[in-house]
Amino acid sequence: MASPKKWHPLASTLCLWKMEVRPQLSPSRDMQPPLPPYEVLPTEVSMEEMPRSTTVMVEETQQQQSPPPRDHLVWSLFTTLYGNFCCLGLLAFVFSVKSRDRKVLGDFSGALSYGSTAKYLNITALVINIVIVVIVIVVVSLVAAGVFRQYQSHYQPPYGYGYGRT
């Protein structure tokens, strides 16, 4: 003899065999583990008679870790090799290596501190190198312009030979 199908308001599926209620799995992004099977309340007990309590659901989610701090090692290496003004590139390289060591050890605050120091040293060296390059370009162009003027005024052909009226 088959038992009649009963529906419980707290369950999401029908109560079938032996009054067991299984929650219906709904597809979700988190794919939470299924809940344990519920037991149906006996008919003589109502929900209004049960003591009121607060239920807190704790979800175990993967912690959204921020990306590890950057150590700027490659930038420091290029600053050391190509623009090592006052050893700023070498200092930046040392701080980058310290930052990478801290990151490997799991000390993200120390890695962030050393990485930001390396970044500021790299920026300072880059700005100084850009200023030096601009100064060198200006000085070379002024010297070249002065030499060209000197050449023009010193080696001007005499009047009547090739230029102007004859």
Side-chain angles (χ1 to χ4, degrees):
M1 176 157 97
S3 64
K5 295 180 180 179
K6 294 183 181 179
W7 184 77
H8 189 273
L10 298 177
S12 58
T13 59
L14 294 174
C15 300
L16 298 174
W17 181 266
K18 295 185 184 176
M19 304 299 280
E20 290 181 12
V21 177
R22 294 186 182 135
Q24 182 180 5
L25 295 176
S26 62
S28 67
R29 283 187 270 161
D30 300 332
M31 293 304 293
Q32 298 174 353
L35 297 173
Y38 293 103
E39 293 182 15
V40 178
L41 290 174
T43 55
E44 54 272 352
V45 178
S46 69
M47 288 299 292
E48 286 77 28
E49 297 172 1
M50 300 295 286
R52 306 267 180 201
S53 64
T54 304
T55 304
V56 178
M57 297 290 293
V58 178
E59 293 184 19
E60 292 183 27
T61 59
Q62 295 177 353
Q63 294 178 350
Q64 296 290 336
Q65 292 182 354
S66 61
R70 298 185 65 179
D71 52 14
H72 307 286
L73 189 66
V74 175
W75 187 11
S76 299
L77 181 66
F78 283 120
T79 304
T80 301
L81 294 177
Y82 297 117
N84 198 9
F85 179 76
C86 291
C87 296
L88 289 177
L90 184 62
L91 282 172
F93 186 72
V94 168
F95 278 102
S96 295
V97 170
K98 284 184 177 184
S99 174
R100 178 151 300 182
D101 290 344
R102 289 285 147 198
K103 185 168 50 171
V104 167
L105 291 175
D107 180 17
F108 291 124
S109 64
L112 184 65
S113 173
Y114 284 127
S116 65
T117 303
K119 181 175 84 170
Y120 292 132
L121 287 171
N122 281 323
I123 289 171
T124 305
L126 179 67
V127 168
I128 290 173
N129 286 328
I130 289 172
V131 168
I132 288 173
V133 167
V134 168
I135 289 173
V136 166
I137 289 173
V138 167
V139 167
V140 167
S141 63
L142 289 176
V143 167
V147 167
F148 184 69
R149 282 192 193 129
Q150 183 72 20
Y151 178 77
Q152 267 189 338
S153 67
H154 188 54
Y155 293 107
Q156 208 171 34
Y159 292 111
Y161 292 104
Y163 297 110
R165 286 194 252 167
T166 54

